[in-house]
Amino acid sequence: MRKSCFSIIAGIFILFGLTSSAYGQSEDVVREVVKIKGSIIFDGKPDEEAWRELEPFPFIMYQPHNGQQPSEQTDARIGFDDNYLYVGACLYYKDPARIQAIGKKRDYSNQTCDWFGIHLDTYNDNQNALVFYTNPNAVRFDASVMNNVKTFDRDVNMDWNTYWEVKTLIDSLGWYAEFKIPLSSLRFQAKNGHTIMGLILGRFIPGKNELVIFPDIPPEYYMGTWKPYLSEDIIF
């Protein structure tokens, strides 16, 4: 099955920002992503001390009530070592019975499912990005975007795949995800020993039609939450 089939994946893209165009970040902030100290057990739950030493990212509601505080708590952190970029997320639920886990095949996408993912403008060029998403069933969904997503059909490559791993876990507090992305699977440049990338994080809660994101992006832009130039800079 080809990922580029619009009839299959259009819903999830609508959920993640299919509205109108152009916005500039108001803050010139570069957040530091630090090298992981200690060991991580790659089991789907980011609960080791190494995770707790990383800073969480603040989320804001994108829909249905833009700018409000999310109805559920999301704790997402990013770190790296010599070989991998790690993304850990605790996706809490007041009522875990509302978690919706549908599909298990690579690149499955559906708006009736919980999702968490990351967009990386790896060259920090405000034009291109690599996208990685998962659901509670540990589906691996990836894509690449270019041209700052001016048109869906031309600028989102649903056929792009790379090697990476993800594990998830569900318990009485919600669901959890750990991404393990080889640095060799990312295209980036280092200058003076550092790399700057653009970052967008997103979590979709289907039972509430709620999308929460980092950073804060206004809702009136075409595929705003997929536009690399609306991402926030992070430095490694």
Side-chain angles (χ1 to χ4, degrees), residues 205-219:
I205 304 170
K208 302 179 181 181
N209 192 34
E210 183 174 335
L211 174 61
V212 300
I213 60 171
F214 169 87
D216 188 4
I217 297 173

Side-chain angles (χ1 to χ4, degrees), residues 50-214:
W51 282 114
R52 290 192 287 271
E53 292 179 353
L54 305 178
E55 288 293 325
F57 289 86
F59 282 74
I60 192 73
M61 191 184 297
Y62 184 81
Q63 69 176 48
H65 306 296
N66 183 259
Q68 292 190 12
Q69 289 300 306
S71 67
E72 305 283 359
Q73 181 184 356
T74 301
D75 186 315
R77 308 178 189 218
I78 301 174
F80 69 97
D81 62 17
D82 291 336
N83 299 305
Y84 298 97
L85 177 70
Y86 292 91
V87 183
C90 301
L91 306 148
Y92 297 109
Y93 261 94
K94 298 182 183 71
D95 180 6
R98 301 189 68 175
I99 295 172
Q100 298 185 40
I102 304 169
K104 294 183 178 180
K105 292 184 178 181
R106 178 82 183 259
D107 296 319
Y108 173 85
S109 61
N110 189 292
Q111 68 265 36
T112 60
C113 185
D114 279 89
W115 290 99
F116 171 79
I118 180 172
H119 303 233
L120 289 171
D121 177 358
T122 58
Y123 281 126
N124 198 38
D125 60 10
N126 295 319
Q127 292 293 316
N128 304 285
L130 303 178
V131 178
F132 304 86
Y133 273 88
T134 195
N135 70 2
N137 288 337
V139 163
R140 284 182 299 159
F141 175 94
D142 47 17
S144 66
V145 302
M146 62 181 183
N147 202 32
N148 204 40
V149 195
K150 292 182 179 177
T151 64
F152 174 88
D153 290 328
R154 184 183 64 189
D155 298 331
V156 178
N157 180 8
M158 304 296 295
D159 290 322
W160 181 81
N161 284 311
T162 193
Y163 178 77
W164 61 291
E165 297 178 80
V166 63
K167 291 188 177 181
T168 59
L169 186 147
I170 300 173
D171 68 13
S172 61
L173 298 178
W175 69 285
Y176 309 85
E178 285 185 318
F179 293 31
K180 186 179 180 181
I181 306 172
L183 298 179
S184 59
S185 293
L186 303 174
R187 302 185 294 267
F188 61 92
Q189 293 178 332
K191 295 181 180 180
N192 300 320
H194 295 285
T195 296
I196 297 178
M197 299 184 187
L199 171 70
I200 297 174
L201 297 169
R203 175 192 181 182
F204 182 62
I205 304 170
K208 302 179 181 181
N209 192 34
E210 183 174 335
L211 174 61
V212 300
I213 60 171
F214 169 87

